[in-house]
Amino acid sequence: MSLATLVQSLADNKQLLGLRYAEWCTAAPTLEADIAGAAMGLDDLGHSRVLHGSLRELGEAEAERDPTSPEQYLNVAYLDHPWTDWSQFVAANAVLDTAFTLMIEALANGNVEVLRSRLRKMLQEEHYHYLHGRSWLRQGGSNPEAGRAFADAVEWFGPEGGEVDQFHQAGQLAAGVAGLRSTLGERVACAPPPVPTDWARWNPLRRRTRPGSIDSRTFEMLRGLEEKRYMPVGERKDG
Amino acid sequence: MATFSRVHQQVRQYEVFARKARDEPLRQVGSVVAPDDDLAQAYARATYDEERWVELVIVPTAAVIRLWAPGEDGSGSG
């Protein structure tokens, strides 16, 4: 697996995270959290665009996706389905968003010039996602969703001695798996320790053990099919 | 499931100040309500970042010491 595939997974996850945030931007417990959800969603969709745009400079044009297969999206299982409870938003915001930020930090502090220069602004914006998630996580008391998010983050970082550690040894990433895991634990002090992962079932491309993929409605939205339903009949094109 | 109340149990108000150029004074642009400094920062940034401020700060309203208010004579001149 190449560094570009890791960046593509980061970009796919950011796109879905942005979408899931947006789904909550009229349903959060307070109006302020609605607005913050919308702002964070916009941030993450923008980050996804920049990351996807970096793939070419990384020497790898973005792979053609099978337009009929949602499994082409390299996302963690936590983002497969819309969240039905605010505690799921909070856990994703506090734990998963922070896990992706740690990888962005590792890339921005690594030796790949295009990523060093392009990823800085994301870290400034992500600081506010972190403050938002941390505060809400503290307020909610025990949140079992945080454990699920943490387990998915551990899977997404991958096994020790795997390619993330190889990228770290080559200087492309400023942190390896052990460092990423421990820093995530420190930053989201409320989260329980990660569950052991069955690495024999781990898919190195999708960076997850669980099968499954994004729900069909989300997939159709990503493909632009949901929006087409609202187009005037004469402007619709097949596909 | 974790429990979240629709309105936070204990909130503080924060005044939001900003300026667009270094040679401008900070001016009050609004306020936010949040249970802690972390969330107040996140809310202030999300709500007020549409303009290109060179500086954005928040201050707990409770930290403001008012010398006098409109209608009160606090000038000391009688």
Side-chain angles (χ1 to χ4, degrees):
Chain A
M1 202 197 77
S2 66
L3 189 70
T5 311
L6 178 65
V7 172
Q8 174 146 11
S9 175
L10 185 57
D12 284 0
N13 277 298
K14 281 272 187 182
Q15 184 178 16
L16 281 167
L17 186 63
L19 204 70
R20 298 287 179 233
Y21 282 159
E23 286 169 345
W24 274 82
C25 74
T26 56
T30 68
L31 180 60
E32 290 90 341
D34 286 342
I35 295 167
M40 292 190 293
L42 282 170
D43 289 338
D44 278 321
L45 292 175
H47 299 172
S48 175
R49 255 193 106 246
V50 171
L51 290 163
H52 276 129
S54 303
L55 292 174
R56 191 179 297 274
E57 281 87 346
L58 290 174
E60 202 159 311
E62 193 168 352
E64 281 286 317
R65 290 184 203 266
D66 176 354
T68 60
S69 169
E71 297 205 345
Q72 298 285 308
Y73 272 86
L74 309 181
N75 63 287
V76 298
Y78 197 99
L79 300 173
D80 279 351
H81 301 286
W83 305 321
T84 54
D85 190 275
W86 178 244
S87 64
Q88 293 171 292
F89 182 113
V90 170
N93 188 198
V95 183
L96 275 180
D97 209 349
T98 302
F100 300 140
T101 300
L102 289 174
M103 190 63 83
I104 292 171
E105 272 180 34
L107 290 165
N109 294 320
N111 61 15
V112 180
E113 196 48 44
V114 62
L115 299 174
R116 287 180 65 85
S117 58
R118 283 200 192 169
L119 272 48
R120 295 269 161 221
K121 182 164 177 277
M122 293 183 199
L123 296 176
Q124 293 168 13
E125 293 175 346
E126 285 295 335
H127 175 61
Y128 297 98
H129 297 209
Y130 171 63
L131 293 176
H132 187 271
R134 184 173 70 170
S135 177
W136 273 105
L137 192 63
R138 265 198 306 246
Q139 289 168 58
S142 168
N143 183 344
E145 296 295 332
R148 193 163 70 90
F150 205 128
D152 273 13
V154 167
E155 285 195 13
W156 188 73
F157 289 150
E160 287 189 73
E163 80 285 345
V164 163
D165 280 344
Q166 288 164 17
F167 297 146
H168 179 216
Q169 281 157 15
Q172 294 162 308
L173 287 173
V177 168
L180 291 165
R181 282 185 203 167
S182 65
T183 310
L184 181 60
E186 287 162 19
R187 295 222 182 147
V188 293
C190 314
V195 295
T197 299
D198 179 7
W199 295 112
R201 290 192 297 122
W202 190 68
N203 178 331
L205 189 63
R206 305 187 71 211
R207 314 192 65 76
R208 57 191 269 178
T209 57
R210 269 187 284 164
S213 57
I214 43 178
D215 63 289
S216 59
R217 185 165 180 272
T218 304
F219 185 54
E220 293 198 351
M221 196 178 298
L222 290 168
R223 295 173 65 204
L225 300 179
E226 277 286 309
E227 288 79 356
K228 279 187 183 168
R229 290 184 191 162
Y230 301 98
M231 286 171 101
V233 176
E235 293 179 25
R236 282 186 210 166
K237 290 176 187 163
D238 290 332
Chain B
M1 285 290 174
T3 54
F4 299 97
S5 56
R6 177 84 200 167
V7 177
H8 301 294
Q9 295 297 313
Q10 291 183 318
V11 288
R12 295 207 291 173
Q13 182 165 319
Y14 296 76
E15 305 301 327
V16 183
F17 298 87
R19 59 174 159 175
K20 288 189 180 170
R22 286 164 183 261
D23 60 354
E24 278 179 9
L26 282 167
R27 64 185 173 88
Q28 190 180 12
V29 294
S31 62
V32 291
V33 169
D36 60 26
D37 293 353
D38 281 358
L39 211 47
Q41 290 177 72
Y43 288 167
R45 174 258 175 179
T47 310
Y48 294 100
D49 79 336
E50 288 302 317
E51 292 172 81
R52 287 185 168 267
W53 310 113
V54 297
E55 188 171 3
L56 183 70
V57 303
I58 59 171
V59 178
T61 306
V64 174
I65 301 172
R66 175 171 286 115
L67 276 69
W68 62 84
E72 294 173 14
D73 183 2
S75 65
S77 61

